[in-house]
Amino acid sequence: MGKKVKAVPEWLNSPIWSTPPPAPAPADPFGTDFARPVAPPPEPPPSVPPPPTYEQAVGSYAARERETREEEGAGAALRAHLLADFKSAVGEPLFWGRPAAPVCVQLLLGYLPTERSLWPYELEKKRSQYSAYKDEFLLNPSEKLRRIEESKLSRKKELNVERNGLLPRLEVTNEEHPLSSGKSSLWNQYFQESEILEQIDRDVKRTHPDISFFSVKSNQESLRRILIIYSRLNPSVRYVQGMNEVLAPLFYVLSNDPDASNSASAEADTFFCFVELISGFKNNYCKHLDNSRVGIRSTLSKLSQLLKKHDEELWRHMEVITKVYPQYYAFRWITLLLTMEFSFNVCIHIWDAILGDPEGPPDTLLRICCAMLILVRKRLLVGDFTANIQLLQHYPQTNIDHLLHIANRLRGTVAS
């Protein structure tokens, strides 16, 4: 018997598998013809352009290379380009009295990301983090212990009530006693830090007494909280006397943000900007690094080498003849970022150059310190040890634009 041929299923003959002819376009009630327009004739192929000349080819290649280098170095050069958007020359103060100053400071210090759409998220996250820091580091031991016990009781309360209907008795362990000398005792840690807290209180009250902004009690409390939290988060550095002077310009600028929502959060924003700023100079504040290749002595040695390279006559008179070494005058210059050598508004002007220079704040600061010496070289060359020490510890008023111009001439010469 032959094989029975299977019939084609009916569903394959369904009209849905064939393409129906296009329906005629409906008539436009307003008289417009919606019929598909007739396709225009194809355009002739474009003529092949002549090959570029040698100059054009080289110029195009150089442009592409330049674009590639710019893209690769965009991250490193970003801070320098940011300054160019806000000022035309280093002599124009950027931070002093300008509406864009707070944003620019946060960008230059890396607190704000370069992508503006991320700013709200980052600000909310950082401000929430600072609030948590305040809860963790500003409470006294009794309040901390009370909260710890409350959390323990809340976990045990239901269990104990179910067992015998009685609440547990609060017991104070030896480690929690105010007179405990144990290393893990909160009270012992608190009393050990009391000297630092007293130093912070004294320094905050002495911060720019001539400026009414820093005499306001709430502003002093903000400075105090920032310094305490920083010291407890950075046990290798803690608090170094004079950090209040470095903190003050940042807090002043961010507190004067034209955006009220930002100025209200100036304390939190200032804290993280302060952390970023100090991180670039952190090794200068660590005592255990003083004699290392990255400590303050090494930084002072770099300043000495820089002066010798650019003005050997002055270097020889200072360090060979009169024995005036950088540690006698430049220690304060470097650790306090020149905040004690110039008036407040002049200091902020100098910080324009320090924060915005593509060589980075540490190298820029050394160039400015070297320029300060060169600027008064005539008086130093005729002075003895005492006269030169007095001159450099009480630096005279000078033309800041000229000082920064000299520092700019020393660019690229700081020893690594």
Side-chain angles (χ1 to χ4, degrees), residues 344-366:
F344 188 73
N345 59 331
V346 171
C347 171
I348 293 181
H349 187 169
I350 293 174
W351 277 27
D352 284 352
I354 293 177
L355 299 184
D357 196 288
E359 288 192 358
D363 287 356
T364 305
L365 177 61
L366 285 183

Side-chain angles (χ1 to χ4, degrees), residues 95 100-111 250 253-254 273 355:
F95 305 150
V103 172
C104 192
V105 170
Q106 294 173 76
L107 284 168
L108 290 173
L109 288 173
Y111 174 53
L250 293 175
V253 170
L254 298 185
C273 287
L355 299 184

Side-chain angles (χ1 to χ4, degrees), residues 217-394:
K217 184 69 174 176
S218 60
N219 292 336
Q220 291 182 349
E221 287 299 316
S222 292
L223 294 177
R224 179 179 177 274
R225 286 191 291 266
I226 291 173
L227 293 171
I228 290 174
I229 293 174
Y230 178 84
S231 69
R232 290 177 173 171
L233 278 173
N234 297 271
S236 63
V237 179
R238 302 186 76 82
Y239 173 75
V240 177
Q241 187 174 8
M243 279 185 172
N244 59 302
E245 300 292 343
V246 180
L247 175 63
L250 293 175
F251 185 60
Y252 180 87
V253 170
L254 298 185
S255 295
N256 286 279
D257 194 315
D259 188 330
S261 63
N262 289 332
S263 61
S265 301
E267 180 180 331
D269 297 340
T270 301
F271 169 78
F272 288 103
C273 287
F274 179 71
V275 170
E276 294 291 342
L277 177 61
I278 293 295
S279 66
F281 302 93
K282 190 173 182 178
N283 293 335
N284 293 332
Y285 300 101
C286 296
K287 266 192 172 183
H288 63 277
L289 296 177
D290 281 355
N291 297 316
S292 70
R293 296 177 59 185
V294 296
I296 185 63
R297 292 183 185 273
S298 174
T299 303
L300 294 171
S301 177
K302 289 180 182 179
L303 176 60
S304 175
Q305 296 170 22
L306 190 62
L307 178 63
K308 183 178 181 181
K309 180 174 184 177
H310 292 283
D311 195 334
E312 187 169 355
E313 180 187 7
L314 178 57
W315 172 84
R316 188 171 300 278
H317 180 79
M318 292 281 290
E319 300 196 21
V320 178
I321 299 175
T322 61
K323 309 294 184 184
V324 178
Y325 302 112
Q327 54 263 38
Y328 295 148
Y329 59 88
F331 181 89
R332 187 177 71 180
W333 293 6
I334 292 170
T335 56
L336 301 188
L337 276 62
L338 300 175
T339 54
M340 298 294 289
E341 317 312 317
F342 302 97
S343 63
F344 188 73
N345 59 331
V346 171
C347 171
I348 293 181
H349 187 169
I350 293 174
W351 277 27
D352 284 352
I354 293 177
L355 299 184
D357 196 288
E359 288 192 358
D363 287 356
T364 305
L365 177 61
L366 285 183
R367 286 192 285 107
I368 294 175
C369 290
C370 185
M372 290 170 64
L373 296 171
I374 294 174
L375 205 59
V376 293
R377 72 182 306 273
K378 290 183 178 179
R379 295 176 63 177
L380 292 173
L381 287 173
V382 298
D384 57 8
F385 175 87
T386 303
N388 287 346
I389 287 292
Q390 290 179 347
L391 174 65
L392 297 178
Q393 288 185 349
H394 302 85

Side-chain angles (χ1 to χ4, degrees), residues 96-168:
W96 185 253
R98 292 179 179 263
V103 172
C104 192
V105 170
Q106 294 173 76
L107 284 168
L108 290 173
L109 288 173
Y111 174 53
L112 284 178
T114 56
E115 189 174 341
R116 186 164 186 168
S117 62
L118 298 177
W119 290 3
Y121 168 77
E122 288 295 328
L123 289 174
E124 182 181 359
K125 182 179 72 172
K126 292 292 188 181
R127 290 166 182 174
S128 175
Q129 186 177 356
Y130 182 73
S131 179
Y133 285 159
K134 289 198 294 184
D135 288 341
E136 181 177 357
F137 296 111
L138 297 180
L139 294 177
N140 60 47
S142 60
E143 180 65 20
K144 285 184 181 180
L145 292 172
R146 185 184 67 80
R147 293 191 177 187
I148 292 173
E149 288 301 327
E150 284 181 351
S151 65
K152 289 180 180 178
L153 287 174
S154 64
R155 290 194 299 267
K156 296 179 180 180
K157 182 177 180 181
E158 293 184 2
L159 179 61
N160 288 329
V161 169
E162 289 176 359
R163 286 182 175 177
N164 52 24
L166 299 176
L167 293 177

